[in-house]
């Protein structure tokens, strides 16, 4: 059986619904193509989210990220596309994606996009002495 890229995200039930907690996923090997030149663009993606009822399954997320490898996409567009797709799949209380693209022509690009469930209230931060 060969593993292939996929645009299908799998989910599993949140093991602690009712408790706000953050899941942070670092993806240091994200690649897509520059839509102007066809050259590869490399980025580290960080996905942070507070789950509601569902969590994203990591192997399917890896295969999903792989599906961008041969696609041309502007940094801003691909970051927002990923956020929209994952948020539509798991409906998190909150999600932030940070895409830190490697240097190209002396320019670094960092794109940050967020999604928030309008019915969710973020907990008060705790400040310890």
């Amino acid at each position: 059986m060969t593993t292939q890229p996929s645009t299908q995200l799998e989910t599993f039930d949140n093991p602690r619904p009712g408790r706000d907690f953050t899941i942070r996923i670092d993806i240091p090997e994200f690649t897509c193509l520059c839509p102007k030149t066809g050259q590869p663009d490399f980025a580290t993606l960080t996905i942070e989210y507070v789950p509601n009822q569902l969590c994203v399954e990591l192997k399917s997320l890896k295969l999903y990220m792989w599906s961008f490898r041969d696609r041309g996409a502007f940094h801003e567009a691909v970051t927002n596309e990923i956020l929209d797709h994952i948020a539509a799949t798991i409906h998190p209380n909150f999600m932030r994606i940070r895409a830190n693209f490697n240097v190209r022509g002396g320019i670094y690009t960092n794109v940050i996009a967020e999604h928030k469930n309008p019915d969710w209230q973020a907990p008060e931060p705790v400040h310890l002495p």
Side-chain angles (χ1 to χ4, degrees):
M1 181 172 137
T2 326
T3 305
Q4 296 295 319
S6 174
T7 58
Q8 300 300 309
L9 290 169
E10 296 179 24
T11 65
F12 61 93
D13 290 339
N14 178 352
R16 295 294 257 167
R19 172 184 286 168
D20 287 329
F21 63 96
T22 302
I23 298 170
R24 183 173 293 124
I25 303 165
D26 291 316
I27 304 165
E29 298 177 344
F30 178 81
T31 59
C32 61
L33 300 176
C34 172
K36 293 286 192 175
T37 66
Q39 294 180 320
D41 282 327
F42 301 91
T44 296
L45 301 186
T46 300
I47 301 171
E48 298 174 296
Y49 71 99
V50 177
N52 188 355
Q53 297 301 310
L54 297 172
C55 299
V56 67
E57 192 277 324
L58 294 179
K59 181 177 180 184
S60 73
L61 181 63
K62 178 176 95 171
L63 298 176
Y64 174 71
M65 292 300 165
W66 186 5
S67 75
F68 290 93
R69 180 166 290 171
D70 295 323
R71 284 187 42 205
F74 289 106
H75 300 163
E76 300 81 0
V78 74
T79 304
N80 279 283
E81 178 183 343
I82 292 167
L83 173 70
D84 290 345
H85 191 182
I86 299 172
T89 301
I90 65 170
H91 307 286
N93 287 320
F94 178 81
M95 178 173 279
R96 176 184 297 129
I97 296 183
R98 178 183 307 267
N100 296 326
F101 284 87
N102 290 358
V103 68
R104 171 67 68 87
I107 297 174
Y108 289 95
T109 305
N110 297 306
V111 181
I112 301 166
E114 295 180 343
H115 161 86
K116 183 178 183 288
N117 177 342
D119 298 327
W120 178 71
Q121 181 65 40
E124 291 277 329
V126 175
H127 300 284
L128 298 174

